[in-house]
Every structure is written in C-alpha cells, then in structure tokens.
Amino acid sequence: MNAAFQTPESGDTAGNNGSAPALKLLIAAPRGFCAGVDRAIEIVERSIERYGAPVYVRHEIVHNKYVVNSLKAQGAIFVEELDEVPDDAPVVFSAHGVPKSVPAEAERRKMIYVDATCPLVSKVHRQAERQIEKGQHIIFVGHDGHPEVIGTMGQVEPGQMTLVETVDDVATLQVPDEASLSYLTQTTLSVDDTADIIAALQQRFPQIQGPKAEDICYATSNRQAAVKQIAPASDLVLVIGAPNSSNSLRLVEVAQRLGTDAKLIQRADEIEPEWLEAVGTLGLTAGASAPEKLVREVVDRISQWRTVEEETISAATEKMVFKLPRQLTE
C-alpha cells in the first residue's frame, strides 16, 4: 500500500466513554486501496519526481478527494480534457482508462504522457479489440457516463459496442446479428447484478460469447464478499468512498440487499452521533480508492462517543502487485 496514505493499526479497543455501551466494530478485509489504485498514485508521484511539478492528470486519478488533494499538494494539476494541458507539460491518464482518441491526440501534439490505466481495465480494452477483429458486436455491461465505460467504449468505432445497464435493457436490445455477439463488463460492478444481466443475455442470445474469465476485478469481488460477511451481523454498515466511486456505491448496495442499513461517507466528520444510538454492532469498510488512513480516522471519531471493540473479518488475502510503466523505472 502507498505509504503516504497508510496509518498504523490501532489496538483492539479504543475510546474512553464509559457511559455508553461498548460498540462492536466489524472491519472488513480486504478493504481500501487495490493494486491498481496503488499503482496509479505511485505513477503520479513518480512522474512529479521525474518531470518536476506541475504534472497534469486527466480526470481524477482515482475517485477519492483525499487522495486527489494530497497529490495536488505535491504538484499535480487535475483537468478533464487534454486541451487544458500545455503541449510541453507531462500528463497522466487516470486509472479508469481513456478512449483511444486521447493518447492519439497526445502523440499528435508530441506530449509526454504516462498511462495509469489499471492493467485489469486494459485487459478489457484488449478483449474488445480481439472481439471486433472476429467480426463480433459487443454488448458492454456498465454504468452510462462512468469514466471506465467511456474509456472502454472508446476502444472501438461508434456502433460496434452497445451499452446495457440492467436486466430490463436486455429485453429491448436490438443487435445487428445474433450469431456474432459477445459481451464484456465494467470491472467495478455488483457481482450479483452482473451475473443476472449475463444470464439474461445468455437466455436471449444463446450464441453470445463471453470472456474466458470474468471482467469484474478481484478487488471489487473481494470487497463485496467481505461486506457480505460483516453485514448480516451488523446494525449499520459504513462504507468510506466517494459518491462517484462505482465500487464504493456497490458496497453500500450489497449491505442494503442483505437487509442492513448502510451509508456512504467520504470522511469521518460526516458521521452523526445519532447514527449509532441504536447500534450495537457496526460494520466498516472502504472502497478501492479510499486509503487506510481514512478508516483509522473513522475509528477515532467513533471512539469519541463509544468504547470500540474491533474485530477484523477477512474474506480474502490480496497479494496482487502491478508493474509501473517502463518510462518511470528506467
């Protein structure tokens, strides 16, 4: 994990409020930064070291204000489009991926650019290219307007890929040739929702072809699995993440579908004391773009009101590490 966003783990108990009953805190594992986010942040930091500030970043490098503001303080400037970047300034593309037109424009302008696209997103891009080469039309399962969706659909020509968001969308799909269909998915979707959509696609289009392995990334799947373990035993689940973070929003939905109240927060100061009045057991997790420092910040705030008894509930162990781009390591 990126050292700038870590804090040491606290002990099993915290707080000194003896008047209120102790609060059982179930902390999900894995949580927080995934390998793709760690890599993207390090790419920005190393780019600043190599090229000097400022380094421009197209779109939020990851969907987390704390991370973005920390990188701004080091010399990163965040923009939405390349036309906001001077030709002679280095620019980093976000972890969500970009349409092919973006690096093409950067090359036309002879810009220095570093691609921080998560390798698991890049894998989906390459799959899209291969499916188009086979003459297939692609059904892409994702959320309209999300940067990853824009980037993936931008890997192919207009009209070669159709977006579906729900099972209901499948029923109204119009495709050019049912015999030449394939599907791909956004990497940060609900595992359960996506399974339902794929089942609907396979029922309507029996010949449709899918990827050899599912596109939902290991980190998304693992974090959802961990929430499924803590939510049934919790009275409330708090998810640390940004409102525009797809994987964080999915964690809230997973808890809610299990019948547990869940709230998305960005920082500890959003927590209201009355949220905990009837809570004996609190679940806590963080989306893949949220640093561990924010988790400890939440524990510290809760400890101001209640004596906290922490327990970590683990659904998986993650050891994934992605290589940095060669231009930053040579």
Side-chain angles (χ1 to χ4, degrees):
M1 182 180 292
N2 193 292
F5 301 98
Q6 276 185 289
T7 59
E9 292 285 343
S10 68
D12 292 334
T13 61
N16 53 15
N17 189 340
S19 60
L23 178 72
K24 183 71 173 180
L25 181 62
L26 302 180
I27 304 183
R31 61 183 178 274
F33 280 178
C34 61
V37 167
D38 259 330
R39 175 180 181 269
I41 293 170
E42 187 171 356
I43 284 173
V44 176
E45 292 174 334
R46 288 211 184 194
S47 295
I48 293 169
E49 290 174 7
R50 168 155 296 200
Y51 302 114
V55 166
Y56 287 77
V57 183
R58 185 188 180 277
H59 193 70
E60 290 184 339
I61 187 69
V62 296
H63 285 155
N64 186 275
K65 281 185 179 180
Y66 179 86
V67 171
V68 168
N69 289 337
S70 297
L71 294 173
K72 281 182 180 178
Q74 297 177 51
I77 296 176
F78 291 84
V79 299
E80 286 303 309
E81 298 297 342
L82 280 190
D83 59 14
E84 301 172 64
V85 182
D87 287 351
D88 59 351
V91 60
V92 176
F93 302 149
S94 83
H96 310 97
V98 296
K100 277 187 173 180
S101 59
V102 174
E105 179 187 348
E107 289 174 6
R108 180 182 60 77
R109 292 170 56 185
K110 296 182 171 55
M111 301 174 75
I112 297 172
Y113 70 89
V114 186
D115 190 354
T117 300
C118 174
L120 298 181
V121 174
S122 296
K123 183 191 76 171
V124 179
H125 292 180
R126 304 292 78 78
Q127 289 173 334
E129 291 176 341
R130 289 195 293 270
Q131 290 173 349
I132 293 301
E133 287 172 0
K134 293 178 182 178
Q136 296 177 326
H137 184 83
I138 300 171
I139 307 299
F140 189 65
V141 183
H143 295 296
D144 189 23
H146 189 277
E148 183 184 331
V149 172
I150 294 170
T152 302
M153 295 191 74
Q155 301 304 305
V156 303
E157 296 297 322
Q160 293 181 324
M161 189 180 292
T162 301
L163 180 68
V164 299
E165 297 187 81
T166 67
V167 170
D168 291 341
D169 290 343
V170 176
T172 59
L173 264 178
Q174 300 294 320
V175 298
D177 182 3
E178 293 188 9
S180 299
L181 273 184
S182 59
Y183 70 83
L184 296 169
T185 82
Q186 185 178 334
T187 63
T188 54
L189 299 177
S190 160
V191 173
D192 296 334
D193 282 351
T194 304
D196 291 342
I197 294 170
I198 291 172
L201 284 169
Q202 291 171 333
Q203 183 174 8
R204 183 162 178 216
F205 307 112
Q207 297 182 65
I208 195 168
Q209 298 180 27
K212 291 181 179 179
E214 70 174 16
D215 293 326
I216 295 177
C217 81
Y218 76 94
T220 296
S221 299
N222 288 347
R223 280 151 189 73
Q224 289 179 25
V227 169
K228 287 179 180 179
Q229 289 198 10
I230 66 171
S234 301
D235 302 304
L236 171 68
V237 171
L238 296 180
V239 178
I240 305 169
N244 59 344
S245 167
S246 176
N247 78 86
S248 299
L249 292 171
R250 304 293 80 78
L251 296 178
V252 174
E253 292 173 357
V254 167
Q256 290 172 338
R257 287 178 182 179
L258 291 169
T260 303
D261 186 21
K263 297 180 185 295
L264 181 73
I265 58 171
Q266 297 194 71
R267 298 294 297 269
D269 59 11
E270 297 176 21
I271 303 171
E272 300 293 342
E274 54 265 29
W275 292 1
L276 305 180
E277 286 178 359
V279 173
T281 302
L282 178 69
L284 179 63
T285 190
S289 302
E292 181 65 15
K293 185 171 184 177
L294 300 189
V295 176
R296 303 316 312 175
E297 180 185 272
V298 166
V299 176
D300 289 345
R301 180 167 175 83
I302 293 169
S303 299
Q304 295 173 13
W305 309 313
R306 302 275 291 273
T307 298
V308 175
E309 298 174 354
E310 294 184 42
E311 181 181 352
T312 299
I313 306 297
S314 181
T317 300
E318 294 179 350
K319 298 180 179 179
M320 184 78 72
V321 177
F322 294 132
K323 292 181 180 179
L324 294 172
R326 186 175 298 173
Q327 68 205 92
L328 295 179
T329 59
E330 292 179 341

